[in-house]
């Protein structure tokens, strides 16, 4: 039996009856059919995936007419995809013939590249109200490179945009300065941050964070501290000083947090709070606590020392009563008594400062107290100092110990006289004032609001710098040479004013003189 001929995989030769020289080549399409089935199955799967997408997907021709859409488009409009064929997107979604100005498809057909746009529609069919769409357009080209179609993909991001707008509004309204920083550059800054550093919009955008620091050392320190804290626990905080656009410096507390710890390139959120006033209050509190501690100490020492002086002065008096004036010991005893009395005067100043001195407040006119002191002042100050007194005729009454008021005037006069060694003008003035919350804001003086009688004492002397002013009311603080002052004059004034529920402020500049203003509360009590 003759062996069977093998069948070729692709070609087969057969002799056709009736044709003597005819040859036919037949193609084996079995595998091709299988490939077509696989391709058809793949296309079906792809179509199923596209129909299940939450995005609106369309294919348009070069005239922007729809030639295919996924089911999402039809479902949103309550029609079948076939109903949309041959129509443009602007006709389908917005009842308009011309595309919007930021249409990604128009840009893609012109550029030949993938284009993206965030499109804002006042309305969109199938969705009520204004909407925002994240739109992409992908041009499709033939073998010659000619654009023949374009794929449109759009997603409704209205909720995301409105959430971001709400968050931005909250951040913009925040009293704290907030900024988004990427690669150490400011990407977004709220209004409070602009106010904090004195810049105007949009001057800070794209600027390096370094411009807010007085020097490189502080900038690097803060960056390292914040980065270390953020990397360790997601956020960090540090106190620093920022440089405003006008050259002034403000104290700030900075907090920083990475948007994504796994991807630091997404940036940091920086929150800045101006703590300049808090720092001032902290210094004032420390100063107040120090003064209070010194006052308690001074009061205790003065009380004990005053008891000793009482014994010394009393015994000196007894001795003087029993000795003749022509005795050589009489002068010694008199000197002991006078020195003891001067020492007692100093203890009275200490007791006044510590508020332990027994006082006898009465309703009085500050004008009368100043007038009584004026004669003594003219003997007290140097001859080359001119004294000017300006009194408010209808001055309100105060309640205070007259001797204390005179002591205040005398101590301020001595202080002014020492400051005008080469002569000048010493002015005392009284006035009625009403204090509000804005008074002394820059000096940190705290007082109750309302009507006060103001005593102004001004000199044209050498003045004081800011550092000296910070310590001027401290007991035993003096700028005079050793042995020329006790440092108790102004601290005594401070103690007396506080004891009478008043307040005192100082305004001075080197070589421009000094002005003390004392405010004592008005009283409605009648004179006894």
């Amino acid at each position: 039996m003759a062996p069977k001929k093998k069948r070729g995989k692709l070609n087969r030769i057969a002799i056709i009856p009736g044709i003597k020289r005819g040859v036919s080549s037949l193609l084996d399409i079995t595998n091709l059919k299988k490939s077509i089935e696989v391709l058809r199955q793949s296309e079906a799967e792809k179509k199923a995936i596209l129909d299940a997408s939450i995005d609106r997907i369309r294919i348009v021709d070069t005239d922007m007419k729809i030639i295919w859409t996924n089911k999402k488009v039809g479902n949103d409009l309550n029609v079948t995809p076939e109903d949309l064929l041959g129509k443009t997107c602007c006709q389908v979604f917005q009842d308009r013939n011309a595309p919007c100005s930021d249409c990604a498809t128009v840009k893609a057909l012109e550029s030949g590249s993938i284009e993206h746009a965030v499109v804002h529609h006042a309305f969109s069919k199938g969705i009520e109200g204004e909407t925002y769409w994240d739109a992409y357009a992908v041009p499709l080209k033939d073998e010659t490179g000619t654009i023949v179609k374009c794929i449109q993909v759009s997603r409704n991001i209205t909720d995301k945009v409105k959430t971001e707008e709400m968050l931005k509004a909250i951040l913009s309204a925040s009293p704290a300065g907030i900024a988004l920083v990427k690669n150490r550059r400011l990407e977004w800054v709220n209004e409070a941050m602009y106010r904090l550093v004195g810049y105007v919009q949009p001057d800070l955008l794209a600027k390096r964070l370094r411009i807010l620091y007085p020097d490189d050392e502080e900038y690097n320190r803060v960056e390292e501290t914040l980065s270390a804290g953020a990397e360790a626990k997601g956020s960090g905080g540090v106190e620093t000083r920022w440089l405003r656009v006008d050259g002034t410096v403000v104290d700030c507390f900075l907090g920083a947090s990475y948007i994504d710890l796994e991807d630091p390139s997404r940036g940091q959120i920086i929150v800045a709070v101006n703590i300049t006033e808090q720092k001032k209050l902290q210094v004032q509190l420390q100063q107040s606590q120090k003064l209070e501690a010194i006052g308690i100490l001074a009061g205790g020492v003065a009380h004990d020392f005053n008891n000793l002086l009482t014994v010394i002065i009393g015994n000196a008096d007894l001795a003087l009563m029993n000795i003749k004036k022509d005795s050589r010991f009489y002068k010694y005893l008199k000197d002991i008594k006078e020195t003891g009395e001067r020492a007692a005067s100093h203890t009275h100043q200490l007791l006044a400062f510590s508020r332990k001195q027994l006082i006898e407040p009465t309703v009085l006119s500050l004008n009368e107290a100043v007038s009584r002191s004026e004669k003594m002042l003219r003997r007290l100050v140097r001859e080359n100092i001119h004294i000017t007194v300006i009194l408010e005729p209808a001055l309100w009454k105060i309640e205070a110990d007259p001797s204390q008021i005179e002591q205040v005037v005398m101590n301020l006069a001595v202080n002014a006289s020492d400051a005008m060694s080469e002569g000048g003008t010493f002015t005392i003035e009284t006035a009625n004032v009403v204090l509000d919350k804005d008074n002394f804001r820059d000096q940190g003086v705290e007082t109750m609001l309302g009507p006060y009688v103001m005593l102004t004492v001004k000199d044209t002397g050498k003045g004081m710098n800011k550092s000296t002013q910070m310590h001027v009311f401290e007991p035993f603080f003096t700028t005079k040479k050793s042995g020329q002052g006790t440092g108790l004059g102004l601290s005594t004034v401070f103690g007396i004013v506080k004891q009478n529920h008043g307040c005192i402020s100082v305004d001075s500049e080197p070589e421009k003189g000094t002005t003390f203003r004392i405010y004592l509360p008005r009283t409605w009590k009648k004179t006894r």
Side-chain angles (χ1 to χ4, degrees):
M1 185 175 183
K4 294 181 179 180
K5 295 182 180 179
K6 294 182 179 180
R7 182 178 296 177
K9 291 184 178 180
L10 294 177
N11 295 304
R12 184 177 180 184
I13 299 174
I15 297 175
I16 309 299
I19 303 297
K20 294 182 178 181
R21 297 184 181 180
V23 177
S24 175
S25 177
L26 300 179
L27 180 65
D28 187 346
I29 61 172
T30 304
N31 291 334
L32 180 59
K33 285 184 176 181
K34 291 181 180 180
S35 298
I36 292 173
E37 289 299 321
V38 171
L39 181 61
R40 285 175 179 171
Q41 184 179 4
S42 177
E43 290 296 327
E45 290 176 351
K46 291 178 182 178
K47 186 175 181 298
I49 292 172
L50 295 178
D51 282 336
S53 174
I54 63 172
D55 297 326
R56 290 178 173 181
I57 304 174
R58 305 168 296 279
I59 300 178
V60 299
D61 59 20
T62 54
D63 292 327
M64 297 183 64
K65 292 182 178 179
I66 298 173
I67 58 179
W68 181 87
T69 73
N70 68 344
K71 287 185 178 180
K72 171 66 176 174
V73 180
N75 293 341
D76 282 353
L77 302 178
N78 198 26
V79 297
T80 64
E82 289 74 17
D83 293 333
L84 303 176
L85 301 182
K87 299 179 181 179
T88 64
C89 291
C90 48
Q91 290 174 336
V92 168
F93 298 116
Q94 294 182 272
D95 284 336
R96 53 188 289 182
N97 292 321
C100 50
S101 59
D102 52 356
C103 178
T105 304
V106 172
K107 296 177 182 178
L109 291 173
E110 291 176 352
S111 67
S113 304
I114 299 175
E115 297 288 347
H116 168 254
V118 175
V119 185
H120 176 212
H121 294 318
F123 72 94
S124 180
K125 282 186 178 179
I127 299 178
E128 295 183 0
E130 62 176 3
T131 58
Y132 293 86
W133 298 87
D134 197 24
Y136 285 87
V138 183
L140 301 177
K141 302 176 183 179
D142 61 13
E143 296 82 356
T144 65
T146 303
I147 298 174
V148 293
K149 300 175 184 177
C150 192
I151 299 176
Q152 299 173 330
V153 181
S154 59
R155 175 176 294 185
N156 188 347
I157 58 170
T158 304
D159 291 341
K160 176 185 176 183
V161 170
K162 289 187 175 181
T163 300
E164 290 176 351
E165 288 178 347
M166 185 182 300
L167 178 60
K168 185 177 179 180
I170 294 171
L171 296 179
S172 296
S174 170
I178 302 175
L180 170 62
V181 179
K182 289 184 180 179
N183 298 320
R184 295 191 172 186
R185 292 186 182 274
L186 294 154
E187 295 288 323
W188 180 86
V189 180
N190 74 343
E191 281 290 338
M193 184 72 83
Y194 278 106
R195 290 194 300 269
L196 175 61
V197 294
Y199 286 82
V200 295
Q201 293 194 47
D203 289 352
L204 283 177
L205 297 183
K207 295 290 193 306
R208 292 188 67 84
L209 207 57
R210 167 65 182 85
I211 67 170
L212 299 180
Y213 291 87
D215 51 61
D216 289 335
E217 183 180 356
E218 180 65 4
Y219 171 63
N220 292 329
R221 180 189 73 84
V222 172
E223 286 293 311
E224 291 173 4
T225 303
L226 288 180
S227 296
E231 290 172 1
K233 51 186 179 181
S235 62
V238 65
E239 284 189 16
T240 186
R241 307 193 79 194
W242 269 4
L243 185 67
R244 288 173 52 86
V245 69
D246 59 6
T248 59
V249 177
V250 291
D251 293 296
C252 300
F253 179 83
L254 302 184
S257 178
Y258 282 116
I259 294 176
D260 186 349
L261 274 175
E262 296 181 357
D263 184 12
S265 64
R266 294 186 62 187
Q268 285 180 304
I269 295 294
I270 301 291
V271 179
V273 179
N274 188 344
I275 59 171
T276 304
E277 291 302 318
Q278 289 92 320
K279 297 284 282 188
K280 288 182 179 178
L281 291 174
Q282 185 178 9
V283 171
Q284 292 164 13
L285 176 61
Q286 292 172 348
Q287 184 75 359
S288 176
Q289 291 172 336
K290 182 166 65 173
L291 286 173
E292 183 177 3
I294 294 176
I296 294 172
L297 174 64
V301 172
H303 181 76
D304 293 339
F305 189 57
N306 195 56
N307 290 338
L308 297 175
L309 290 174
T310 300
V311 176
I312 294 172
I313 295 171
N315 280 285
D317 269 332
L318 291 173
L320 286 170
M321 293 172 60
N322 293 285
I323 194 170
K324 295 180 180 180
K325 291 185 178 181
D326 57 355
S327 171
R328 64 188 182 92
F329 295 108
Y330 185 86
K331 182 179 180 302
Y332 299 148
L333 290 171
K334 190 174 181 181
D335 287 344
I336 291 173
K337 179 186 176 184
E338 291 176 352
T339 302
E341 289 173 342
R342 286 196 298 271
S345 175
H346 290 319
T347 62
H348 292 157
Q349 290 184 351
L350 282 172
L351 288 169
F353 170 77
S354 64
R355 307 182 191 180
K356 290 186 177 182
Q357 182 181 10
L358 294 177
I359 59 174
E360 296 181 4
T362 183
V363 176
L364 59 88
S365 168
L366 193 57
N367 285 348
E368 295 176 1
V370 171
S371 297
R372 283 196 302 269
S373 303
E374 186 178 354
K375 293 181 180 179
M376 289 185 290
L377 288 178
R378 297 191 183 278
R379 294 195 300 268
L380 186 65
V381 301
R382 296 184 180 87
E383 294 180 356
N384 58 354
I385 296 176
H386 176 70
I387 299 178
T388 300
V389 179
I390 305 172
L391 303 177
E392 166 65 43
L395 195 67
W396 296 329
K397 302 291 185 180
I398 63 171
E399 186 175 16
D401 187 316
S403 63
Q404 283 192 323
I405 299 301
E406 292 175 8
Q407 189 176 8
V408 166
V409 175
M410 292 299 170
N411 283 352
L412 291 176
V414 170
N415 186 75
S417 179
D418 292 340
M420 297 185 288
S421 57
E422 298 180 0
T425 301
F426 176 67
T427 304
I428 302 178
E429 185 176 356
T430 60
N432 298 324
V433 297
V434 177
L435 301 184
D436 58 33
K437 63 180 181 180
D438 294 326
N439 291 103
F440 318 122
R441 176 176 290 177
D442 59 338
Q443 298 186 44
V445 176
E446 296 183 10
T447 185
M448 297 290 290
L449 310 184
Y452 285 78
V453 175
M454 179 176 68
L455 173 65
T456 302
V457 179
K458 185 188 304 183
D459 67 63
T460 58
K462 58 186 179 182
M464 296 178 283
N465 57 31
K466 294 297 182 183
S467 177
T468 301
Q469 290 180 52
M470 291 178 61
H471 304 281
V472 73
F473 295 120
E474 293 181 11
F476 310 114
F477 175 81
T478 179
T479 57
K480 300 172 186 176
K481 294 180 180 180
S482 179
Q484 294 186 0
T486 63
L488 291 173
L490 292 179
S491 62
T492 298
V493 171
F494 180 87
I496 291 174
V497 171
K498 288 296 182 183
Q499 198 171 26
N500 286 278
H501 311 292
C503 61
I504 182 171
S505 69
V506 57
D507 183 19
S508 183
E509 288 185 40
E511 308 306 326
K512 291 186 179 181
T514 301
T515 300
F516 289 95
R517 292 183 179 88
I518 295 171
Y519 301 85
L520 297 171
R522 177 187 182 181
T523 184
W524 279 268
K525 291 183 179 180
K526 300 296 183 181
T527 307
R528 294 177 184 175

